[in-house]
Amino acid sequence: MRMPRLVWALALVLAVPAQAQTDYLEEEYNDDYPAQFLTGNPIFQSGDRLVGSISLHGPAFPSPTDYDLHYLTFAGAGSPGIYRYVFDLDAGGEDSFLVLFDQGLHTTLPFYLGINDDREPGSQFDSRIVFDHFDTTGANSVWGVDISAFDTLGEFNYALTVTREDTPVTDLGLLGRGVHEATGTNQPGAGEWYGFDLDTPLDVIIDTEGSDLWDTELALFDANGNTIGGNDDIDPASGNLWSRIERHLDAGRYYVALGSYDEFGINYGSFYNWNLVFDRPLGWDRDGFSGDTFVAPYVVRVTAVPEPGAAALMLVGLAMGALGLRRRRT
């Protein structure tokens, strides 16, 4: 007798083993910098959770009396790449607050890699941070997490789930001279990525002017994941909060990450390893990009122009060619 299709489908689902998930228990006392490794320093796999509780014994804002700070070691992917790490904090509907930071290997205090209060402002008070990390070795990585409450007066239990996946990158291909444009709508909390190649040195301008996403942020990376440029506002004095990066680039592979600055002041904008005041890297332990929750359609343009010297030689060549043509005709 043939089995009904529904029975076959159910049997197939039951035959596939569920992905193992391990819960690691947060332990006190852990309210001071520098953060300590989670007891035993377990190696997190994608989907594992840090489970704990926040206990508040006084005013919750601006100074909660309980923070849960830990360094978490995450298993490497085994190969280089740009990987998306998602830190998703479920606080049972309470108003949690999540901060992601590096180890501070080169500084006395760690750098913040992302901050989030509300996963979806106005409707979802759990927290989530998405950080796209350039992993040049595929080895284990260490992440700092700071879990607290924003305006909760009582106690609550939480579960922080950490996952990793490939970062989506839209390939613009080999760029010649001229304007190359892409449009889209950014995802809440995540950066939008574009890759392009140059086969000759060019001056390159990357901008977001004309976007509905009116307060943008940009970061530029080389093929090895080094942050080589960043911009928040083109001209804040005149109200131009779109972004623009101008760089002379050698031949090679490059990546652009685009995100938003929070229009409503609920979260804290995009994070990337670039000092906007001094136009140089900040000194993070890693390179990558963390987006913000504000979402709107955007346009990003990559304009490539020849080097001034190359342009001059081209004009000279054209002039000499025209002169030779005139001589042959006379």
Side-chain angles (χ1 to χ4, degrees), residues 111-270:
F111 282 105
Y112 288 167
L113 307 178
I115 299 175
N116 182 254
D117 173 26
D118 298 331
R119 181 189 299 169
E120 297 177 13
S123 62
Q124 177 55 262
F125 297 122
D126 289 335
S127 305
R128 179 170 56 209
I129 294 175
V130 179
F131 190 90
D132 296 317
H133 169 46
F134 266 97
D135 188 340
T136 56
T137 65
N140 294 355
S141 55
V142 174
W143 305 84
V145 294
D146 180 345
I147 302 167
S148 61
F150 192 76
D151 58 6
T152 302
L153 297 177
E155 301 180 356
F156 65 87
N157 299 321
Y158 67 79
L160 175 68
T161 305
V162 187
T163 56
R164 179 186 61 221
E165 59 191 30
D166 292 337
T167 298
V169 179
T170 300
D171 190 10
L172 299 179
L174 181 65
L175 299 192
R177 299 176 178 87
V179 180
H180 308 267
E181 183 175 294
T183 60
T185 299
N186 60 312
Q187 300 301 306
E192 298 293 327
W193 286 77
Y194 292 88
F196 64 89
D197 297 282
L198 300 177
D199 62 359
T200 186
L202 292 171
D203 290 330
V204 174
I205 302 170
I206 306 161
D207 75 85
T208 61
E209 290 196 84
S211 298
D212 290 348
L213 187 65
W214 66 278
D215 195 349
T216 57
E217 299 195 56
L218 284 173
L220 176 64
F221 307 86
D222 65 16
N224 297 317
N226 299 307
T227 312
I228 58 175
N231 183 252
D232 180 8
D233 302 325
I234 294 176
D235 186 8
S238 66
N240 187 341
L241 303 183
W242 291 312
S243 308
R244 182 170 60 228
I245 297 173
E246 300 183 28
R247 285 288 184 276
H248 176 76
L249 300 178
D250 293 329
R253 179 71 170 170
Y254 296 92
Y255 298 92
V256 176
L258 175 149
S260 68
Y261 189 86
D262 186 20
E263 179 183 13
F264 302 109
I266 297 172
N267 291 301
Y268 296 86
S270 302

Side-chain angles (χ1 to χ4, degrees), residues 177 201 203 248 305-317:
R177 299 176 178 87
D203 290 330
H248 176 76
V305 298
E307 295 178 287
L313 288 174
M314 186 183 304
L315 291 175
V316 170

Side-chain angles (χ1 to χ4, degrees), residues 47-115:
D48 287 350
R49 304 193 306 174
L50 173 66
V51 178
S53 63
I54 293 293
S55 303
L56 301 174
H57 307 288
F61 183 77
S63 299
T65 56
D66 186 14
Y67 297 85
D68 288 350
L69 285 82
H70 285 294
Y71 284 124
L72 307 179
T73 301
F74 204 90
S79 61
I82 310 174
Y83 295 104
R84 173 158 290 177
Y85 289 80
V86 180
F87 297 79
D88 204 331
L89 181 63
D90 182 355
E94 299 292 345
D95 197 352
S96 59
F97 195 84
L98 180 63
V99 179
L100 185 68
F101 52 92
D102 67 9
Q103 276 191 268
L105 296 176
H106 309 296
T107 55
T108 55
L109 288 175
F111 282 105
Y112 288 167
L113 307 178
I115 299 175

